[in-house]
Structures are given as C-alpha cells and as structure tokens.
Amino acid sequence: MATALDLFEQIVRRTPAQEPVEEAAPTADGKPVHPFELRNVHVGFPAKVRKLFDDGHGAEATFHAFKYVEKVVQKHTGSALNGEKLMMAVFNEASPTVKLNGLANVSEQDEQRGYRFIFAGAIVAIRNPGGHEITLSDDPDVCLDHLAFASLLLRRLERAGYK
C-alpha cells in the first residue's frame, strides 16, 4: 500500500517542470540581472508593477502596466474617454489628438492607423481581461511579454514627443 509520501512523489514526478524565467549572467558585483532589465521593461512604470511581478502576481502586474499606458494617453490628450474608445478617438488618423508622425504620406498615415488599432487592441485584449476576470495566468514569461509590449507602446509615444 502506498503511503501519502509515495503518492505525493508520484504526482510531483508526473508534473512537468515550469521553465524558469530567463536570467542572464550575474553583473560584476555578483547580483543576478532582474528580468525587467533583460526584457528592457520601461522604467517609467509605477513601482507597483515590479513589486507585483516580483511577488508572483503577473496578471495584476500586466493589468496595472496597461492602466498606466492608458493614463499616459489620457494625460497627453486631456480626454475623459477611457479604454478602447479613448484609443480609437485620439489616434484617429483623420484628426488625431496624438500624432505619432507628420501624417505627410500614405506610409505615415498607415502607421498612425496601425498604432490606433494596436493601442485599442492592447486595451481590449490585454488590459480588459485583468479588470473582468479573476482566473488569469500569473506566468512570469507571459507577464514579461505583456510588459515588453506595453513598453513598446510607451516608447512609441515618447519618440513622437509625448513624454
């Protein structure tokens, strides 16, 4: 007859190990490099985002990072809109409140239009589930992918002069 410990060992051995979050070689002082530095996560995110990540709350860290992206857009536009409506309105290529480029040719207009959908899609697909669902993945690699994507959005705003 199997003991509780034997049963536990069987379960553990059947469970596939999760891949560890990527880590680089330690720095010169011997400290490991934080995954945020490895993924070049934007330094402007509120400290809460990193704390949530470090505490294993990836879904919440993602949610707060995208709320921050939304707040940055609201700050630069003065718009009372939020979510998808905000992004679709302020990046509208016909009369944008947030101009990512000079809109001087078809290519620039296409870029503006594309980012309009990218910003709106990020809010709908990544931020919104965090505000409505309670069983989201805290997988650190998924969170890091989301934070890198949010960082890309913030950096695109900064390149256009919205700092």
Side-chain angles (χ1 to χ4, degrees):
M1 182 158 189
T3 66
L5 185 57
D6 292 331
L7 291 172
F8 175 75
E9 183 176 12
Q10 289 173 9
I11 292 168
V12 169
R13 291 189 186 277
R14 281 194 312 248
T15 305
Q18 262 193 331
E19 290 295 317
V21 173
E22 61 190 70
E23 288 192 24
T27 59
D29 61 2
K31 294 181 182 175
V33 177
H34 191 278
F36 275 33
E37 281 73 43
L38 291 173
R39 295 282 186 102
N40 196 22
V41 171
H42 197 282
V43 296
F45 286 122
K48 180 178 190 173
V49 171
R50 187 170 179 146
K51 172 124 177 60
L52 286 166
F53 176 84
D54 288 343
D55 291 345
H57 303 290
E60 235 184 303
T62 294
F63 178 67
H64 285 282
F66 279 90
K67 278 193 340 187
Y68 178 75
V69 170
E70 181 180 39
K71 292 298 179 191
V72 168
V73 172
Q74 284 177 326
K75 178 186 102 175
H76 288 294
T77 63
S79 177
L81 295 173
N82 58 38
E84 178 185 14
K85 289 180 182 174
L86 169 70
M87 301 308 176
M88 293 301 283
V90 303
F91 288 99
N92 181 340
E93 64 275 14
S95 59
T97 309
V98 175
K99 283 178 71 172
L100 297 176
N101 57 52
L103 300 170
N105 55 46
V106 172
S107 181
E108 289 182 351
Q109 293 164 11
D110 285 349
E111 180 189 22
Q112 180 77 25
R113 180 172 177 259
Y115 271 102
R116 176 185 187 203
F117 290 109
I118 291 171
F119 272 85
I123 295 300
V124 173
I126 299 172
R127 193 221 53 195
N128 282 1
H132 303 290
E133 302 298 326
I134 56 172
T135 56
L136 295 174
S137 170
D138 282 321
D139 181 292
D141 286 320
V142 171
C143 178
L144 288 168
D145 287 344
H146 287 154
L147 296 178
F149 182 52
S151 297
L152 171 115
L153 298 178
L154 290 174
R155 289 189 179 101
R156 185 61 190 95
L157 288 170
E158 289 170 353
R159 277 198 333 268
Y162 299 97
K163 297 185 188 226

